[in-house]
Amino acid sequence: MDLTDFGAGAQYIAGRQSRGSGDPFQVVNPADGSVVEQISLASTEQVDAAVAAARAALPEWAGATPGARSEALTRLAAVLAEAGADLARVETSQTGKPVKLSSEFDVPGTVDNTAFFAGAARNLEGKAAGEYSGDHTSYVRREPIGVVGSISPWNYPLQMAAWKILPAIAAGNTIVLKPAELTPLTSVMFARACTAAGIPDGVVNVVTGAGRTAGERLVAHPDVAMVSFTGSTPVGRRVAELATATVKRTHLELGGKAPFVVFDDADLDAAVHGAVAASLINSGQDCTAATRAYVQRPLYDAFVAGVAELYGAIRLGDPLNPRTDLGPLVSYTHRDRVAGFVERARGYGATVVTGGRAPEKGHDGTDLTRGAYYLPTLVTDAAQDSEIVQGEIFGPVLVVLPFDGDDEGLRLANDTPYGLAASAWTSNVHRSLRATREIAAGCVWVNDHIPIISEMPHGGYKSSGYGKDMSQYSLDEYTQVKHVMFDTTAVARKDWHRTVFGDR
């Protein structure tokens, strides 16, 4: 199925694709600066129209049986799988990520997520009925919340659209998604796929607009019952502030600064390879990417040397070349932001072991000066309290610091405001159990870093936000619990009434 016609625009409201009535905007390929699509952004009036469409579709969709919603999601998984090659190509063109990542990670992960939620839609459990008071039968219902307003980021546009849309509609809600205006195209394709799968018009809507206009209007809209946001911690605070005014439920998946803790009994080769993959996935533009490695001193020098060697062999080039390992960053502005972290670190005494600049030629001879490329960069000798250790860089930059005892390593791992993900590398089961217990993060991997699966939850601690994506736990975010209680006695005058009036 061809979902790639964007001539009608980047808005999808009530089952119809349309142009925005706001400012014109160019979706740019960061690999070479070419224009992928010329679109127009959504106005606040179009946000209102999308919310109205979602509200109108809510009674029918919320009233559908779990089996009916499950069947629709099963059909959606098939539509997405059929369109996989197009989804991967468009995802690469708008983000710059290597096509091997789009086709082997983003698209299959999205299809698998869809299949998972097709099953989860039939399993909205509550507490079993029972006579907990002795005189009443109680049970618990899980019900949809209503219209969900979701804002997704630019780093994984297709997967993040799925992470927002799927649990919301599996639970019987309707949704308005605002993707990042830099990368909206696969989100629109996902919405078109929903229609092709027979999901009713208005259940899934997409408005492509700027955060300050479309995003803030969506979050503050009085008919939106819940807001789900993935993005930076500062913007997440603004989302929470706006949502509070109308007492909306909020789900926030925010920034990360994942520690990669290597103990002295770790498999060094595995840790080196794991660090390279975990720090460079999606050009480091991943909130769970390994960004600061703490390596126990006996392995420190060998770890730094090993990572530097592998970084030097990474193939930068045309993202559509299946042999390319690393593509550009999402924009020139973001590339310059990443470079600024590294230059400031140099200024306060850190050592750039390798990288630290924009490349000129790719492995395939591609002229990389036209794109937003940045070399894999390894930094040492930075202070724990420095910006490059504490701040979210969101690029292909790994900072390595030594530690001595286990207490110090775990303390340093927890010494940032963030708590989204982490990993511990050791062959000692007691060390691994201690690390998984004491590291304050929503996910802790042992002897690996990055893999995610649909059946397990994803979400953070501390300034990384709250709430869960994926898994059965995400349905807790998108449902509200209702206690229903039946009197079983048929007695008119209950014994407890005397506490209000009359005598025994």
Side-chain angles (χ1 to χ4, degrees):
M1 167 169 288
D2 184 11
L3 303 174
T4 61
D5 181 8
F6 300 104
Q11 319 302 324
Y12 201 83
I13 301 171
R16 292 170 180 80
Q17 200 168 337
S18 63
R19 292 188 172 276
S21 52
D23 295 335
F25 189 85
Q26 292 181 335
V27 178
V28 173
N29 184 337
D32 58 13
S34 62
V35 176
V36 180
E37 290 290 340
Q38 177 81 42
I39 65 172
S40 297
L41 299 179
S43 63
T44 54
E45 291 78 13
Q46 285 177 302
V47 174
D48 291 345
V51 173
R55 188 178 182 189
L58 181 63
E60 177 187 355
W61 186 248
T65 65
R69 293 199 291 265
S70 174
E71 289 171 4
L73 290 172
T74 298
R75 293 192 298 269
L76 175 59
V79 172
L80 294 169
E82 182 183 347
D86 286 339
L87 287 165
R89 177 178 54 79
V90 173
E91 191 78 334
T92 287
S93 71
Q94 66 179 351
T95 64
K97 67 178 65 188
V99 72
K100 67 177 180 179
L101 182 66
S102 296
S103 60
E104 296 179 32
F105 180 72
D106 297 66
V107 171
T110 299
V111 173
D112 184 71
N113 251 244
T114 308
F116 170 80
F117 279 106
R122 305 184 80 133
N123 193 34
L124 295 173
E125 291 185 342
K127 182 175 278 190
E131 288 68 49
Y132 297 97
S133 77
D135 292 335
H136 305 82
T137 294
S138 289
Y139 68 87
V140 170
R141 293 174 54 89
R142 282 197 173 273
E143 298 182 345
I145 295 172
V147 176
V148 177
S150 289
I151 299 176
S152 58
W154 48 256
N155 57 334
Y156 289 101
L158 176 62
Q159 288 210 78
M160 293 299 100
W163 285 19
K164 298 300 182 192
I165 291 169
L166 293 170
I169 67 173
N173 304 283
T174 56
I175 188 169
V176 178
L177 174 75
K178 192 203 87 65
E181 59 269 35
L182 289 176
T183 57
L185 303 180
T186 47
S187 297
V188 176
M189 292 173 72
F190 192 97
R192 291 183 66 189
C194 289
T195 298
I199 294 173
D201 293 349
V203 172
V204 176
N205 307 274
V206 174
V207 289
T208 301
R212 288 289 184 184
T213 52
E216 294 208 355
R217 177 58 179 166
L218 180 61
V219 172
H221 200 289
D223 290 336
V224 169
M226 174 187 169
V227 171
S228 179
F229 170 79
T230 296
S232 72
T233 297
V235 178
R237 293 192 187 101
R238 176 61 177 162
V239 168
E241 176 187 342
L242 290 169
T244 298
T246 46
V247 200
K248 291 176 170 55
R249 182 180 294 192
T250 54
H251 165 218
L252 303 176
E253 198 261 270
L254 307 178
K257 190 69 178 175
F260 188 101
V261 184
V262 182
F263 294 97
D264 59 11
D265 62 344
D267 180 326
L268 178 62
D269 191 48
V272 167
H273 281 80
V276 171
S279 61
L280 299 185
I281 186 171
N282 204 34
S283 298
Q285 299 167 131
D286 186 309
C287 49
T288 63
T291 59
R292 49 194 179 102
Y294 298 101
V295 183
Q296 203 153 14
R297 209 168 293 274
L299 296 184
Y300 178 81
D301 290 340
F303 179 89
V304 170
V307 171
E309 181 181 359
L310 285 183
Y311 270 10
I314 295 297
R315 298 169 299 194
L316 285 79
D318 177 3
L320 288 173
N321 184 333
R323 296 188 70 247
T324 293
D325 298 322
L326 196 71
L329 296 172
V330 74
S331 69
Y332 307 105
T333 299
H334 186 59
R335 189 267 313 274
D336 293 345
R337 177 184 177 276
V338 170
F341 272 92
V342 177
E343 291 309 308
R344 290 189 295 274
R346 276 192 175 112
Y348 54 65
T351 299
V352 177
V353 178
T354 187
R357 62 178 178 85
E360 296 180 357
K361 288 287 185 182
H363 72 96
D364 50 4
T366 304
D367 178 8
L368 302 186
T369 60
R370 295 183 300 155
Y373 289 87
Y374 197 74
L375 286 170
T377 299
L378 183 63
V379 177
T380 60
D381 303 320
Q384 173 66 16
D385 61 357
S386 62
E387 175 196 46
I388 202 165
V389 174
Q390 294 291 325
E392 187 174 29
I393 304 170
F394 227 56
V397 180
L398 178 65
V399 184
V400 186
L401 300 91
F403 70 92
D404 291 306
D406 290 16
D407 291 349
E408 180 189 15
L410 295 174
R411 177 181 60 78
L412 292 171
N414 284 328
D415 184 28
T416 71
Y418 300 105
L420 186 58
S423 63
W425 297 75
T426 176
S427 59
N428 184 302
V429 66
H430 302 292
R431 265 181 165 166
S432 65
L433 287 170
R434 181 185 177 190
T436 57
R437 183 174 66 248
E438 295 188 12
I439 293 176
C443 175
V444 181
W445 293 283
V446 177
N447 296 330
D448 207 343
H449 192 115
I450 283 296
I452 54 174
I453 50 175
S454 298
E455 290 83 359
M456 288 292 114
H458 176 87
Y461 286 16
K462 303 190 293 186
S463 291
S464 292
Y466 48 82
K468 300 299 178 185
D469 289 308
M470 298 197 299
S471 82
Q472 197 75 27
Y473 292 96
S474 68
L475 295 177
D476 293 344
E477 311 296 331
Y478 292 94
T479 54
Q480 49 196 349
V481 172
K482 178 185 287 183
H483 170 216
V484 178
M485 197 174 200
F486 291 88
D487 171 64
T488 61
T489 66
V491 174
R493 186 174 179 184
K494 308 291 195 292
D495 186 56
W496 70 267
H497 291 178
R498 66 186 175 81
T499 62
V500 180
F501 69 97
D503 301 317
R504 186 182 292 275

